[in-house]
Amino acid sequence: MSKHVFLTGPPGVGKTTLVQKACEALVSSGVGVEGFYTEEVREGGRRVGFDVVTLTGKRGHLSRIRDGAGVSHGRREHTVGQYVVDLPSFESLALPLFRNVGSVDGSSRKVFIIDEIGKMELFSQSFVRAVRETLDSSSCAILGTIPTPKGKPLGLVEEVRSRRDVEVFTVSKENRNTILQDILTTLQECLKRTT
């Protein structure tokens, strides 16, 4: 009885690309979509951080490589590896999307995109609460991404992975070009269970 679909797999395997392809297919079949995805930011061929991008094209910083000049501006600094997470930027872009989740296009068929639930995003307790509330809501199906387990388990990630109403697809280099139809079929089934 799945209501939500999450993709997992190693970094760079193509989870976000699959989410974007699924969004295009859903929109063209008349399904309302809302939400966000994360995108690498590169300068001179080098990854310098990540942005959060809404499906309407608004963009904000999620993280950047520490520049040595002190990015914290008096706030507590959250880091993942070499990246400093810009929590205010992330929250100001992502959190309003959750508040609007019940009113995507006024349509009854809605999919909410959460790409991704990972270490950087989990620094935001408001984000964690919003994800839990949206998972428990019956107003939409969720298509999201979560990292593969590595090191210390991430509470919300493991919670999502073990929910009975979540179908998890593992994306690999071998299946990433053929798995899209299975994801879309499962999402269509999930949509039948939302009210």
Side-chain angles (χ1 to χ4, degrees):
M1 284 291 288
S2 300
K3 278 174 49 183
H4 311 297
V5 173
F6 279 82
L7 311 182
T8 191
V13 79
K15 298 183 295 290
T16 298
T17 301
L18 274 167
V19 166
Q20 291 168 329
K21 287 180 179 176
C23 283
E24 290 169 15
L26 290 165
V27 168
S28 67
S29 69
V31 175
V33 292
E34 179 65 83
F36 70 92
Y37 60 92
T38 54
E39 193 174 82
E40 271 188 7
V41 177
R42 292 187 165 272
E43 288 175 6
R46 178 175 164 251
R47 185 168 70 196
V48 296
F50 295 91
D51 277 355
V52 58
V53 184
T54 69
L55 296 184
T56 57
K58 292 182 184 164
R59 173 182 294 269
H61 289 188
L62 173 59
S63 67
R64 290 295 183 269
I65 290 178
R66 180 188 314 278
D67 63 6
V71 199
S72 65
H73 307 297
R75 293 189 304 263
R76 179 167 173 236
E77 206 171 77
H78 298 284
T79 59
V80 176
Q82 63 183 340
Y83 300 101
V84 177
V85 179
D86 188 339
L87 219 46
S89 171
F90 170 67
E91 289 182 339
S92 71
L93 204 60
L95 294 180
L97 299 172
F98 286 92
R99 288 192 282 275
N100 299 333
V101 77
S103 60
V104 180
D105 296 315
S107 154
S108 60
R109 292 165 34 95
K110 307 174 199 68
V111 175
F112 190 67
I113 307 300
I114 306 174
D115 173 37
E116 81 175 352
I117 301 173
K119 277 185 184 174
M120 292 183 189
E121 295 83 359
L122 293 179
F123 283 118
S124 169
Q125 288 309 302
S126 299
F127 173 74
V128 170
R129 277 191 301 276
V131 170
R132 284 187 177 130
E133 287 168 11
T134 307
L135 282 164
D136 291 338
S137 155
S138 62
S139 65
C140 66
I142 294 174
L143 171 59
T145 64
I146 53 176
T148 51
K150 188 177 107 184
K152 185 178 163 208
L154 302 172
L156 183 60
V157 172
E158 295 314 309
E159 209 177 291
V160 167
R161 192 185 312 282
S162 63
R163 284 179 67 111
R164 293 200 337 242
D165 61 352
V166 168
E167 178 89 22
V168 178
F169 286 88
T170 300
V171 181
S172 66
K173 287 180 179 169
E174 293 74 34
N175 73 4
R176 66 183 174 193
N177 295 320
T178 57
I179 198 171
L180 179 61
Q181 194 51 57
D182 292 339
I183 294 166
L184 290 170
T185 300
T186 304
L187 273 171
Q188 292 293 351
E189 289 300 311
C190 292
L191 284 167
K192 292 176 185 170
R193 297 186 187 99
T194 62
T195 54

